[in-house]
Amino acid sequence: MAFDYKKEYREFYLPKNKPALVTVPPMNFIAVRGKGNPNEEGGDYKQSINLLYGIAYTIKMSKKGDHRMEGYFDFVVPPLEGLWRQEGSHGIDYARKEDFEWISMIRLPEFVTKEAFAWASAEASAKKDTDFSQVEFLTYDEGLCVQCLHVGPYDDEPVTIDAMDTFAREQGFVPDMDSTRHHHEIYLSDVRKCKPENLKTVIRHPVKKAE
């Protein structure tokens, strides 16, 4: 049976819809960086998703080809994730989507080294006749965070974020977003097939002890 990160690491992917503290260890991802409104048709953000899945499935399906990755195990491709920030802001202003700076990413299985990623990128480029040079191997060490499951449209996230901020303060913590620690979303629903009111998104914010 294919290894499913959502089921095996429920504390990171299937939290309750109440804020909680979580310490996230370093993880490796395939990632694409960009700027702008993610809702733009044909825009960079939507193109980044195609690139990520192209690499992810090249790695997953390598079991059917001649190339063997050391330590390979079959896996369910983990959910799409996104890191979001806006210049000059310590939070997220949903009215300024055009100012978003984002990193779109998918978690990599532990057996995928930088060398294995380079092979997958070259293999995907050759087979799909597409430029995958924007995709990078990224290690993200998130550390202590507050997270919560948000159910509903993305534009309604501020209500959940307010609850997270209140919980963090009550526990003696404050937000700790900077140039390396960002507003983090994990998309558990396929936006193409799910009604907005039913969308499930993990929201995660870095925190630190209040001084």
Side-chain angles (χ1 to χ4, degrees):
M1 183 176 294
F3 187 91
D4 190 335
Y5 283 88
K6 294 195 302 297
K7 294 179 180 179
E8 299 296 332
Y9 295 100
R10 299 177 68 88
E11 67 271 30
F12 302 135
Y13 297 102
L14 299 172
K16 297 179 180 179
N17 59 350
K18 292 182 179 180
L21 293 170
V22 62
T23 299
V24 186
M27 300 177 186
N28 293 330
F29 296 86
I30 45 175
V32 177
R33 300 172 188 265
K35 298 180 180 180
N37 189 335
N39 298 323
E40 180 184 352
E41 283 300 326
D44 290 344
Y45 178 76
K46 294 188 176 181
Q47 292 299 321
S48 76
I49 295 174
N50 293 332
L51 294 175
L52 292 177
Y53 279 109
I55 297 286
Y57 277 98
T58 296
I59 294 169
K60 175 177 172 62
M61 301 311 295
S62 65
K63 63 183 179 181
K64 294 189 175 182
D66 296 330
H67 185 83
R68 293 291 180 266
M69 295 186 182
E70 184 176 353
Y72 177 92
F73 55 84
D74 195 15
F75 63 97
V76 177
V77 172
L80 179 71
E81 307 187 30
L83 303 177
W84 302 85
R85 70 183 297 269
Q86 290 164 321
E87 189 67 35
S89 174
H90 292 290
I92 294 293
D93 182 353
Y94 290 81
R96 296 193 295 117
K97 292 184 176 70
E98 68 278 2
D99 295 332
F100 274 135
E101 297 178 14
W102 44 262
I103 303 175
S104 186
M105 56 193 195
I106 293 175
R107 184 177 180 174
L108 286 171
E110 289 75 10
F111 67 81
V112 181
T113 63
K114 289 183 178 179
E115 291 74 21
F117 161 74
W119 170 84
S121 181
E123 182 76 358
S125 296
K127 286 190 173 182
K128 298 178 181 297
D129 193 24
T130 300
D131 182 7
F132 284 86
S133 61
Q134 286 181 272
V135 186
E136 64 182 271
F137 182 102
L138 172 69
T139 300
Y140 190 50
D141 187 359
E142 201 158 14
L144 182 63
C145 298
V146 59
Q147 71 177 11
C148 187
L149 178 66
H150 171 77
V151 180
Y154 301 131
D155 285 347
D156 289 352
E157 287 182 2
V159 175
T160 299
I161 292 171
D162 286 346
M164 292 166 57
D165 289 344
T166 298
F167 170 82
R169 288 194 298 270
E170 290 173 347
Q171 301 299 312
F173 296 92
V174 294
D176 188 31
M177 284 188 275
D178 56 24
S179 60
T180 60
R181 305 186 78 202
H182 308 300
H183 172 93
H184 187 172
E185 298 181 358
I186 303 174
Y187 307 105
L188 303 180
S189 304
D190 187 336
V191 69
R192 300 167 301 177
K193 303 176 182 178
C194 187
K195 294 180 179 179
E197 61 269 24
N198 295 330
L199 289 170
K200 293 183 178 180
T201 308
V202 179
I203 302 177
R204 189 181 292 160
H205 279 185
V207 295
K208 63 180 179 180
K209 271 288 187 180
E211 298 179 356

